[in-house]
């Protein structure tokens, strides 16, 4: 393949004589061979997915003793010792620690609202029927990858080799990822446990015994049969049990506990239990986090699952994407009550609330695995990313290791903090007329484009003066979006492929002043009122174009159709300020709108496209929304070039 020398670049392509004289690019290009094969396999999964955003979005090693293996380092299951875990703050509390989080009392309480409106998000979100497979809102599990806004089954050979994995049918795989990639296609549980020997008697499976009409849950391991402890038992785990082994597709109706002493006296029950922690998407309890065994007393509560039955009459509360009817108070609590997580995908408050509107379980807060798109669930009180939490409770080390190894493959979005520009090589910064400031040469490290000369300039600060770090790279190919409309600016995006230097496959030598920006994959990653940065050589209000690269902070603006009516089309984004103090202008077209998430990763969120009355009130700048075109970009560049997450 030639993906090793494909460089992602996107910008406004004005109708110039230079481009008009070039051969018309093909509207579609052949993807790399392995991508083509893989897309053929996942098209069915894509076509069966729920509606995408706006219908157009392309856009274990834990110290657990010798539980399930003779060697705890090689043969342990996903087990941890029970520890105290502090209740996390909601996102609003996390970002505003001085906010009073206690609910206000009302002397005249109102009746419960239908659909739990206090917590659920807008109807536009609910109408999309998002689930845990909607990768525009959440991350895919490591054995799935994101295509067309849906998490589809990954090819098993794409999984890394990590730990010897035993399965229920006796097969042995080289990672939990590989085993679950296979069960993803068959929709039947495969994973059992980790071990170097995979003995038949060590398999982990679940049984249910009836006691006075209660479905009492038992788990079998190499230590024998045990009950499941009532502590930490919730609807997410009960949904897993009702789906397997009880074969109820919509999962559980209720997760409850019963005292050990209340169990049927005629049955010989185990005298120990294990605590289970599930996300809710697992195919069996074997895939959940299992704790060490705990002794049982007469008053110990053990887990009971009541499976779902279709209600009589109309559902008057919340209807899940899978058709399950939930009662009042079951949404936005950080627990997958639906069984497809649709009750946690469009939330405004309650449990830990990601900026994208997803509520995540409390036990995933600061667990070393990014769950929110922007990584805000992994920040400490000073908004710094939490690292090296290897022994944190409830973390599945294999999943963390798979995610980490994959996400390290593409380095982007982080400036080179070790590179320093010499102060005596540039003039001091000054404020400009339209809210811009001159940049330092190392402030804006995203590249500049020169389509007229078909050369790409990297690390250029003065528009007519090269620096010692400036690289000039010839262009190999330009791919204009096949549905680009120069009259309406619809689909105003293009890709530039650079010539590679030599047999190394690189298009440029390592440059300390240049770092790649990440490509966003979801239109949910940044929200209205987020602050982002624009840069360019465009003109100030009423002045000539500047010779020095300038930057400015702008705010993402929602509901831009209110300002531009039918001229504002899908794939567009507004940014600036409604007072007209800061805006992109003539000469800035094609420049980047860069947004940085809470974890510190920067994304090219937008491309300067068009606007009316530069710098005037109620006329914000309009940008091409890059995330809207992620699948189109990846089709031409190949996966490795742009895919950091959801691989």
């Amino acid at each position: 393949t030639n993906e090793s020398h494909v460089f992602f670049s996107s910008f406004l392509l004005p109708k110039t004589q230079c481009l008009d004289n070039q051969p018309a690019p093909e509207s579609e290009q052949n993807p790399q061979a392995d991508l083509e094969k893989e897309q053929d396999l996942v098209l069915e999964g894509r076509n069966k997915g729920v509606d995408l955003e706006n219908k157009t979005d392309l856009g274990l090693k834990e110290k657990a003793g010798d539980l399930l293996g003779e060697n705890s380092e090689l043969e342990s299951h996903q087990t941890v010792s029970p520890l105290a875990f502090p209740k996390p703050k909601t996102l609003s509390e996390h970002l505003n620690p001085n906010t009073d989080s206690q609910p206000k009392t009302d002397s005249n309480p109102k009746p419960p609202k239908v659909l739990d409106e206090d917590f659920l998000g807008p109807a536009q979100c609910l109408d999309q029927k998002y689930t845990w497979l909607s990768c525009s809102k959440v991350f895919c599990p490591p054995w799935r990858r994101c295509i067309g806004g849906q998490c589809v089954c990954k090819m098993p050979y794409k999984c890394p080799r990590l730990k010897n994995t035993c399965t229920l049918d006796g097969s042995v795989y080289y990672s939990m990822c590989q085993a679950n990639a296979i069960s993803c296609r068959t929709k039947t549980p495969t994973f059992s446990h980790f071990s170097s020997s995979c003995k038949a008697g060590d398999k982990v499976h679940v049984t249910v015994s009836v006691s006075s009409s209660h479905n009492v849950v038992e788990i079998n391991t190499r230590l024998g049969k045990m009950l499941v402890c009532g502590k930490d038992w919730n609807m997410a785990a009960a949904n897993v049990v009702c789906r397997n082994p009880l074969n109820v597709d919509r999962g559980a109706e209720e997760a409850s506990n019963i005292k050990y002493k209340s169990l049927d006296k005629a049955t010989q029950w185990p005298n120990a239990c294990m605590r289970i922690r599930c996300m809710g998407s697992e195919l069996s309890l074997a895939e959940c986090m299992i704790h060490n065994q705990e002794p049982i007393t007469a008053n110990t509560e053990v887990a009971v699952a009541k499976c779902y039955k279709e209600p009589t009459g109309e559902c008057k509360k919340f209807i899940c994407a899978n058709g399950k009817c939930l009662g009042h108070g079951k949404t936005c609590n950080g627990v997958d009550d639906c069984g497809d997580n649709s009750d946690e995908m469009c939330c405004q408050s309650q449990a830990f609330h990601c900026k994208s509107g997803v509520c995540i379980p409390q036990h995933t807060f600061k667990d070393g695995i990014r769950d929110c798109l922007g990584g805000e669930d992994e920040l400490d009180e000073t908004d710094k990313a939490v690292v090296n939490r290897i022994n944190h409770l409830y973390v599945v080390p294999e999943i963390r290791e798979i995610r980490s190894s994959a996400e390290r493959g593409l380095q982007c979005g982080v400036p080179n903090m070790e590179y320093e520009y010499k102060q005596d090589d540039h003039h001091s910064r000054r404020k400009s007329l339209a809210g811009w400031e001159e940049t330092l040469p190392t402030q804006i490290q995203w590249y500049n484009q020169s389509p007229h000369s078909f050369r790409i300039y990297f690390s250029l600060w003065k528009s007519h003066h090269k620096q010692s770090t400036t690289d000039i790279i010839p262009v190999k190919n330009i791919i204009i979006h096949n549905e680009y409309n120069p009259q309406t600016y619809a689909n105003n995006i293009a890709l530039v492929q650079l010539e590679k230097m030599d047999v190394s496959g690189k298009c440029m030598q390592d440059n300390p002043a240049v770092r790649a920006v990440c490509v966003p994959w979801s239109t949910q990653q940044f929200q209205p009122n987020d602050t982002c940065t624009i840069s360019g050589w465009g003109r100030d209000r009423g002045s000539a174009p500047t010779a020095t690269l300038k930057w400015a902070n702008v705010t993402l603006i929602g509901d831009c159709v209110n300002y531009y009516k039918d001229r504002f089309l899908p794939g567009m984004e507004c940014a600036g300020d409604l007072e007209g103090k800061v805006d992109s202008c003539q000469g800035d077209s094609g420049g980047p709108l860069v947004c940085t998430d809470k974890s510190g990763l920067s994304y090219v969120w937008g491309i300067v496209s068009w606007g009316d009355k530069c710098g005037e009130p109620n006329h914000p700048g309009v940008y091409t929304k890059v995330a809207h075109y992620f699948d189109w970009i990846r089709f031409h560049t190949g996966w490795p070039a742009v895919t950091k997450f959801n691989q």
Side-chain angles (χ1 to χ4, degrees):
T1 69
N2 59 3
E3 62 191 20
S4 59
H5 64 277
V6 174
F7 185 86
F8 168 66
S9 170
S10 53
F11 55 91
L12 173 68
L13 283 179
K15 238 182 170 179
T16 64
Q17 186 65 33
C18 184
L19 277 181
D20 287 345
N21 293 333
Q22 299 303 311
E26 296 291 335
S27 62
E28 294 293 339
Q29 303 220 347
N30 292 330
Q32 280 71 13
D34 61 336
L35 177 60
E36 186 177 34
K37 293 178 182 178
E38 187 147 346
Q39 284 180 328
D40 289 340
L41 291 170
V42 301
L43 279 177
E44 180 181 358
R46 182 194 302 185
N47 294 335
K48 290 182 179 179
V50 298
D51 290 344
L52 305 182
E53 302 169 345
N54 300 323
K55 305 274 191 294
T56 57
D57 189 12
L58 294 174
L60 187 213
K61 181 181 175 182
E62 293 284 353
K63 189 63 178 175
D66 188 16
L67 175 58
L68 297 179
E70 298 165 8
N71 185 307
S72 61
E73 185 168 335
L74 292 175
E75 303 182 6
S76 65
H77 189 78
Q78 306 165 24
T79 59
V80 293
S81 300
L83 299 172
F85 186 77
K87 180 179 180 181
K89 296 181 179 182
T90 62
L91 179 59
S92 59
E93 292 175 309
H94 180 72
L95 300 180
N96 302 287
N98 294 327
T99 302
D100 184 4
S101 61
Q102 295 301 318
K104 296 180 179 180
T105 58
D106 190 344
S107 58
N108 298 307
K110 300 177 182 179
K113 296 181 181 180
V114 177
L115 290 180
D116 295 341
E117 297 110 324
D118 285 338
F119 306 129
L120 284 171
Q124 298 95 312
C125 179
L126 296 171
D127 289 344
Q128 297 298 322
K129 303 293 184 183
Y130 292 117
T131 70
W132 64 274
L133 292 177
S134 303
C135 48
S136 61
K137 299 276 279 183
V138 295
F139 291 103
C140 298
W143 41 89
R144 290 178 178 263
R145 61 192 329 193
C146 182
I147 296 181
Q150 290 292 295
C151 296
V152 300
C153 301
K154 182 183 290 187
M155 297 294 290
Y157 74 88
K158 293 284 188 180
C159 291
R161 295 179 177 270
L162 292 177
K163 183 176 291 188
N164 208 54
T165 300
C166 308
T167 63
L168 296 174
D169 63 5
S171 302
V172 180
Y173 296 110
Y174 52 70
S175 69
M176 180 183 183
C177 173
Q178 187 191 28
N180 283 0
I182 293 172
S183 62
C184 177
R185 285 172 165 75
T186 63
K187 295 181 173 55
T188 57
T190 298
F191 176 79
S192 172
H193 62 288
F194 298 112
S195 176
S196 60
S197 58
C198 292
K199 299 176 183 178
D202 294 348
K203 293 179 183 178
V204 178
H205 61 279
V206 176
T207 57
V208 174
S209 298
V210 178
S211 174
S212 301
S213 75
H214 294 293
N215 291 324
V216 181
V217 185
E218 300 172 297
I219 186 166
N220 297 264
T221 70
R222 65 175 295 271
L223 300 179
K225 181 183 291 186
M226 298 184 191
L227 297 171
V228 172
C229 303
K231 189 173 183 180
D232 293 336
W233 179 252
N234 63 13
M235 278 288 289
N239 279 326
V240 176
V241 170
C242 285
R243 288 195 300 263
N244 182 276
L246 297 179
N247 297 315
V248 179
D249 290 341
R250 289 180 177 171
E253 180 175 319
E254 182 182 358
S256 58
N257 303 328
I258 187 174
K259 289 187 181 296
Y260 183 75
K261 63 183 180 182
S262 300
L263 296 178
D264 186 358
K265 300 298 189 296
T267 302
Q268 185 175 354
W269 300 98
N271 58 4
C273 68
M274 288 180 166
R275 285 168 57 192
I276 305 289
R277 176 75 78 177
C278 300
M279 293 295 293
S281 60
E282 297 87 352
L283 292 178
S284 74
L285 288 190
E287 298 176 22
C288 302
M289 180 62 71
I290 302 176
H291 295 261
N292 285 320
Q293 68 183 77
E294 301 178 18
I296 285 180
T297 65
N299 290 319
T300 299
E301 293 188 330
V302 296
V304 171
K306 180 181 180 181
C307 295
Y308 183 76
K309 292 183 179 180
E310 294 295 335
T312 57
E314 182 183 359
C315 179
K316 297 182 179 180
K317 299 300 179 181
F318 182 82
I319 302 178
C320 306
N322 60 15
K324 184 177 180 179
C325 179
L326 294 186
H328 180 75
K330 295 291 187 180
T331 60
C332 299
N333 57 4
V335 178
D336 180 8
D337 293 276
C338 283
D340 59 11
N341 210 48
S342 56
D343 53 310
E344 305 300 317
M345 303 299 287
C346 299
C347 300
Q348 300 179 113
S349 59
Q350 269 297 74
F352 190 89
H353 174 232
C354 301
K355 283 177 60 178
S356 62
V358 178
C359 278
I360 62 174
Q362 293 182 359
H363 65 266
T364 63
F365 181 70
K366 296 184 183 179
D367 65 351
I369 299 176
R370 176 194 288 237
D371 295 289
C372 296
L373 298 183
E376 54 265 32
D377 57 306
E378 295 303 314
L379 300 178
D380 60 18
E381 298 300 324
T382 58
D383 281 2
K384 294 181 179 179
V386 179
V387 295
N388 298 324
R389 303 182 68 90
I390 302 302
N391 295 316
H392 202 284
L393 184 60
Y394 305 138
V395 172
V396 181
E398 170 110 344
I399 294 177
R400 180 179 51 213
E401 190 170 349
I402 296 170
R403 283 274 304 267
S404 297
S405 62
E407 292 164 11
R408 286 194 301 265
L410 179 62
Q411 298 297 320
C412 64
V414 180
N416 181 8
M417 304 306 295
E418 297 179 357
Y419 176 71
E420 296 183 5
Y421 188 79
K422 295 181 180 179
Q423 182 71 23
D424 56 3
D425 285 346
H426 69 276
H427 300 291
S428 60
R429 292 164 56 189
R430 61 179 176 83
K431 199 76 173 179
S432 69
L433 296 177
W436 292 67
E437 294 187 23
E438 290 187 2
T439 70
L440 297 176
T442 55
Q443 274 186 285
I444 307 297
Q445 297 196 15
W446 324 124
Y447 53 83
N448 171 48
Q449 299 84 8
S450 181
H452 295 288
S453 63
F454 292 96
R455 295 292 185 271
I456 303 298
Y457 286 71
F458 293 84
S459 187
L460 192 66
W461 178 41
K462 300 284 188 179
S463 60
H464 303 294
H465 178 71
K466 293 186 292 185
Q467 300 170 199
S468 61
T469 56
T470 300
D471 281 323
I472 306 175
I473 311 297
V475 172
K476 180 179 181 180
N477 188 27
I478 295 178
I479 305 171
I480 305 173
H481 196 285
N482 55 298
E483 296 182 3
Y484 168 62
N485 187 324
Q487 279 74 45
T488 65
Y489 300 109
N491 307 306
N492 192 9
I493 189 170
L495 299 175
V496 175
Q497 183 180 12
L498 306 181
E499 290 281 6
K500 61 181 180 180
M501 296 185 303
D502 47 38
V503 293
S504 68
K506 292 184 177 181
C507 58
M508 65 180 294
Q509 296 177 349
D510 294 339
N511 189 327
V514 176
R515 287 294 183 269
V517 66
C518 294
V519 181
W521 73 93
S522 168
T523 57
Q524 302 283 330
Q525 285 179 256
F526 297 95
Q527 304 290 328
N529 299 319
D530 283 348
T531 299
C532 304
T533 302
I534 54 177
S535 57
W537 284 274
R539 65 184 65 211
D540 290 333
R541 214 168 17 223
S543 67
T546 179
T548 303
L549 183 66
K550 293 185 177 182
W551 68 274
N553 287 332
V554 293
T555 301
L556 301 185
I557 298 173
D559 299 322
C560 206
V561 69
N562 294 334
Y563 305 101
Y564 292 112
K565 308 303 178 185
D566 56 356
R567 297 175 62 193
F568 187 78
L569 303 174
M572 295 181 180
E573 177 80 283
C574 278
D577 71 71
L578 297 179
E579 296 179 359
K581 293 181 179 179
V582 182
D583 194 7
S584 51
C585 206
Q586 285 79 15
D588 291 319
S589 294
L593 170 71
V594 175
C595 302
T596 303
D597 66 20
K598 282 292 180 178
S599 71
L601 286 180
S602 295
Y603 295 84
V604 57
W605 187 246
I607 306 163
V608 179
S609 183
W610 63 275
D612 280 347
K613 301 178 181 179
C614 175
E616 294 294 326
N618 296 319
H619 288 82
V622 183
Y623 300 75
T624 299
K625 196 169 189 174
V626 175
H628 183 89
Y629 299 95
F630 180 72
D631 278 1
W632 178 83
I633 294 167
R634 187 168 59 183
F635 176 83
H636 290 286
T637 64
W639 284 70
V642 295
T643 310
K644 184 174 180 66
F645 300 101
N646 291 319
Q647 299 182 41

